[in-house]
């Protein structure tokens, strides 16, 4: 009988871990009997439960039904927003659309200036940035600059464009589609200058570009923009210098000065303006230009005190301050802050602070030197302003007229802003006669300036700055500023700081009043399509800031 063969070489080898299955039942355990601790799928049907029929009313344990792309439910798409009629001002239409998300903005009309190959994205973005640069350099608010940039890009077929504006940087991003690569471009604003005639020309260009019936081609827009950039200022230098002198003289009459004070204040402002131009031509920063421009009026006022003439020397210095206070930059700064552009508003406020400190340094140096030579100014004289309603009203209108010339405004807008400033001063005087405090009186008068300025600008589809900025000139806190500086020079810091704080409060009241009046003007204007767009985002508006 043959002996059984022993285990072969393959059987004697120990099996590796890979050869053993983790799910192989150990010897002695029957397969298929689950252990009590073994977990089961929570989606498995328990024993004894019959299979449910397929369908929407079936059991929760039924297998889900599959569907093809043809049988899939339709995707959610929001209702298309109504288009804005072209008759409404482009500023309001574009500002309203900028505040909407991209997916709910109205679909633009077919671009009649677009070729079959599509819009030239690079050139359109470059034109948009150049227009935004001129507006921002001219002192326009950040929200209006964004609205103008969006209007230009949208008019040439770039409806999915997102402009961004800061104090020195402009950028715009265009995304062709949801899956396309975005295209971005930026531009830096390096030079700033006040020329409201150029600003009005840029607004007319944007209005023509955004008007469907105008049909302004891209090449025509470039040509007109080049003409605007090359145009000289509407007034020669000697007219600007004479306007600065008349402004200071009118301001001195506004605070109680006479004929002698008028000519002295005008002379001081002319000398300060010429000194500022001299240092500007040599590249001196604007801070030092304000320092040297504030010195001549202060020096003439101190000289009148040393010679002991029976005149209001304080009115000479106060008139010179009216010609230097940066009211334009302050209004733009507060407007940007109230409309949500906090970075730009902070930069503008910092600019205002530096210019104001430059004025303070220039005046304080002269007053301190005058005190060393025995000049004894009367602080109470600053606050004792005689009431001459008719003469002060005429002086306020002359102040606004000359301020408008310094801002390089068009001749057609100078008379309108002069009337607006006269109404503001009469309102301020009436409120002060009713014993209302200076800050709320200033805010109410500035609110009327903003209201009428916005109505005039919407009537002419133009910027509101030429109708607003010069009109706030008579409301600037020249007397409070000079009283604070005089008190500091006499080492009365408590009164000096209190007066400067009061001047800052008046300045902020001017800026907030102008902005509030501008926003209040929208109550008198109906923006087509804006109401329905606001209803769709009511929840977003209610939860803003939380």
């Amino acid at each position: 009988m043959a002996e059984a063969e022993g285990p072969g070489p393959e059987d004697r080898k120990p099996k590796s871990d890979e050869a053993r299955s983790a799910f192989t039942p150990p010897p002695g355990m029957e397969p298929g009997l689950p252990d009590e601790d073994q977990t089961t799928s929570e989606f498995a049907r328990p024993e004894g439960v019959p299979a449910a029929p397929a369908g929407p009313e079936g059991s929760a344990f039924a297998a889900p039904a599959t569907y093809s792309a043809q049988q899939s439910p339709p995707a959610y798409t929001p209702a298309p927003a109504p288009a804005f009629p072209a008759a409404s001002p482009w500023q309001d239409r574009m500002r309203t659309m900028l505040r909407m998300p991209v997916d709910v903005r109205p679909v633009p009309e077919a671009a009649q200036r677009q070729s079959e190959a599509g819009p030239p994205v690079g050139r359109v973005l470059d034109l948009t940035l150049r227009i935004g640069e001129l507006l921002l350099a001219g002192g326009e608010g950040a929200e209006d600059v964004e609205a103008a940039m969006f209007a230009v890009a949208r008019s040439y077929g770039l409806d999915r464009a997102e402009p961004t504006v800061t104090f020195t940087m402009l950028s715009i991003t265009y995304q062709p589609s949801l899956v396309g690569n975005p295209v971005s471009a930026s531009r830096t604003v390096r030079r700033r200058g006040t020329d409201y005639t150029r600003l009005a020309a840029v607004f007319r260009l944007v209005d023509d570009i955004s008007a469907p019936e105008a049909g302004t081609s891209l090449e025509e827009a470039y040509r007109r923009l080049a003409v605007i950039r090359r145009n000289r200022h509407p007034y020669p230098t000697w007219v600007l210098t004479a306007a600065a002198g008349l402004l200071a003289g009118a301001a001195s009459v506004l605070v109680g000065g006479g004929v002698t004070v008028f000519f002295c204040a005008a002379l001081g402002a002319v000398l300060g303006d010429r000194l500022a131009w001299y240092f500007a031509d040599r590249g001196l920063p604007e801070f030092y230009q304000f320092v040297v421009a504030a010195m001549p009026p202060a020096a003439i006022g101190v000289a009148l005190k040393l010679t002991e003439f029976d005149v209001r020397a304080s009115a000479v210095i106060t008139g010179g301050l009216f010609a230097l206070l940066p009211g334009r930059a302050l209004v733009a700064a507060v407007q940007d802050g109230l409309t949500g552009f906090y970075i730009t508003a902070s930069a503008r406020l910092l600019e205002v602070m530096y210019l104001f400190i430059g004025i303070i340094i220039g005046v304080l140096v002269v007053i301190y030197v005058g005190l060393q030579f025995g000049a004894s100014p009367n602080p109470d004289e600053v606050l004792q302003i005689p009431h001459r309603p008719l003469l002060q009203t005429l002086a306020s209108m002359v102040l606004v007229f000359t301020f408008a010339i310094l801002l390089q405004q068009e001749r057609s807008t100078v008379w309108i802003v002069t009337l607006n400033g006269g109404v503001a001063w009469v309102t301020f005087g009436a409120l002060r006669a009713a014993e209302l405090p200076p800050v709320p009186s200033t805010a109410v008068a500035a609110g009327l300036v903003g209201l009428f300025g916005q109505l005039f600008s919407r009537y002419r589809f133009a910027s509101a700055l030429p109708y607003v900025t010069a009109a706030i000139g008579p409301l600037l806190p020249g007397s409070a500023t000079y009283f604070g500086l005089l008190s500091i020079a006499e080492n009365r810091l408590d009164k000096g700081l209190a007066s400067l704080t009061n001047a800052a409060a008046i300045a902020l009241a001017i800026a907030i009043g102008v902005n509030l009046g501008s926003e209040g003007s929208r109550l008198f204007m109906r923006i087509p399509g804006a109401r329905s767009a606001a209803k769709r985002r009511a929840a977003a508006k209610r939860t803003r800031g939380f």
Side-chain angles (χ1 to χ4, degrees), residues 275-337:
L275 279 176
W277 277 102
Y278 176 81
F279 286 107
D281 292 339
R282 281 151 182 79
L284 199 68
E286 194 174 15
F287 173 82
Y288 299 104
Q289 297 175 28
F290 272 77
V291 172
V292 298
M295 287 183 173
I300 293 178
V302 171
L304 289 176
K305 272 298 179 182
L306 290 174
T307 54
E308 297 183 355
F309 276 111
D310 189 16
V311 294
R312 292 178 63 92
S314 61
V316 176
I317 304 176
T318 304
L321 291 176
F322 269 91
L324 296 175
L325 292 177
R328 173 184 59 86
L330 178 65
V331 171
V334 176
Q335 178 182 358
D336 287 342

Side-chain angles (χ1 to χ4, degrees), residues 115-207:
S115 62
E116 295 181 357
V121 177
R123 297 197 67 198
V124 173
L125 295 183
D126 179 69
L127 175 67
T128 302
L129 289 173
R130 291 178 182 272
I131 289 177
E133 178 190 11
L134 283 181
L135 292 176
L136 188 62
E140 191 62 69
E143 188 178 29
D144 289 330
V145 176
E146 279 196 359
M149 294 173 63
F150 184 71
V152 175
R154 185 180 176 86
S155 299
Y156 289 111
L158 307 186
D159 58 305
R160 302 181 68 90
E162 289 293 339
T164 303
V165 177
T166 59
F167 186 59
T168 58
M169 177 69 72
L170 298 165
S171 63
I172 186 170
T173 301
Y174 169 65
Q175 189 170 5
S177 64
L178 293 176
V179 296
N181 295 325
V183 181
S184 299
S186 61
R187 195 173 184 88
T188 303
V189 179
R190 302 188 183 277
R191 297 186 60 186
R192 300 178 182 273
T194 304
D195 189 342
Y196 283 178
T197 299
R198 177 180 296 176
L199 192 69
V202 177
F203 262 74
R204 284 193 294 268
L205 174 60
V206 176
D207 186 29

Side-chain angles (χ1 to χ4, degrees), residues 217-436:
S217 64
L218 193 60
E219 289 72 18
E220 176 67 16
Y222 262 108
R223 186 193 65 79
R224 289 180 57 180
L225 186 63
V227 171
I228 293 173
R229 296 178 69 95
R230 287 196 302 265
N231 279 350
R232 295 182 176 273
H233 299 306
Y235 305 105
T237 304
W238 67 269
V239 173
L240 299 179
T241 302
L246 287 176
L247 190 154
S252 66
V253 174
L254 202 64
V255 295
V259 177
T260 304
V261 171
F262 175 89
F263 285 104
C264 290
L267 177 62
V270 168
L271 292 177
D273 183 76
R274 286 292 86 200
L275 279 176
W277 277 102
Y278 176 81
F279 286 107
D281 292 339
R282 281 151 182 79
L284 199 68
E286 194 174 15
F287 173 82
Y288 299 104
Q289 297 175 28
F290 272 77
V291 172
V292 298
M295 287 183 173
I300 293 178
V302 171
L304 289 176
K305 272 298 179 182
L306 290 174
T307 54
E308 297 183 355
F309 276 111
D310 189 16
V311 294
R312 292 178 63 92
S314 61
V316 176
I317 304 176
T318 304
L321 291 176
F322 269 91
L324 296 175
L325 292 177
R328 173 184 59 86
L330 178 65
V331 171
V334 176
Q335 178 182 358
D336 287 342
L338 295 177
T339 52
F341 294 84
Y342 300 114
I343 296 177
T344 307
S346 301
R348 290 187 190 271
L349 285 176
L350 189 62
E351 179 189 29
V352 171
M353 184 188 71
Y354 271 107
L355 298 181
F356 194 70
I357 291 176
I359 297 171
I360 290 175
I361 292 176
V363 175
L364 274 181
V365 168
V366 176
I367 292 178
Y368 183 77
V369 172
L371 290 176
Q372 305 308 311
F373 282 94
S376 55
N378 182 14
D380 296 333
E381 181 187 58
V382 182
L383 302 178
Q384 295 174 356
I385 301 176
H387 295 284
R388 299 173 293 180
L390 181 60
L391 183 60
Q392 288 176 330
T393 302
L394 293 176
S396 67
M397 297 183 71
V398 172
L399 190 154
V400 175
F401 180 83
T402 53
F403 198 1
I405 293 177
L406 287 176
L407 295 174
Q408 307 277 2
Q409 290 190 199
E410 293 180 307
R411 292 176 175 84
S412 60
T413 64
V414 170
W415 303 106
I416 299 177
V417 72
T418 301
L419 180 62
N420 196 11
V423 172
W425 177 257
V426 170
T427 303
F428 174 76
L431 294 176
R432 291 294 293 134
E435 298 183 355
L436 193 69

Side-chain angles (χ1 to χ4, degrees), residues 58-86:
S59 171
F61 301 101
T66 59
Y67 54 84
S68 62
Q70 289 79 10
Q71 299 173 347
S72 62
Y76 170 75
T77 54
F84 294 94

Side-chain angles (χ1 to χ4, degrees), residues 85-99:
S88 58
W90 66 265
Q91 301 101 308
D92 296 326
R93 287 186 285 127
M94 299 305 158
R95 185 184 293 110
T96 304
M97 281 189 284
L98 273 175
R99 294 174 179 176

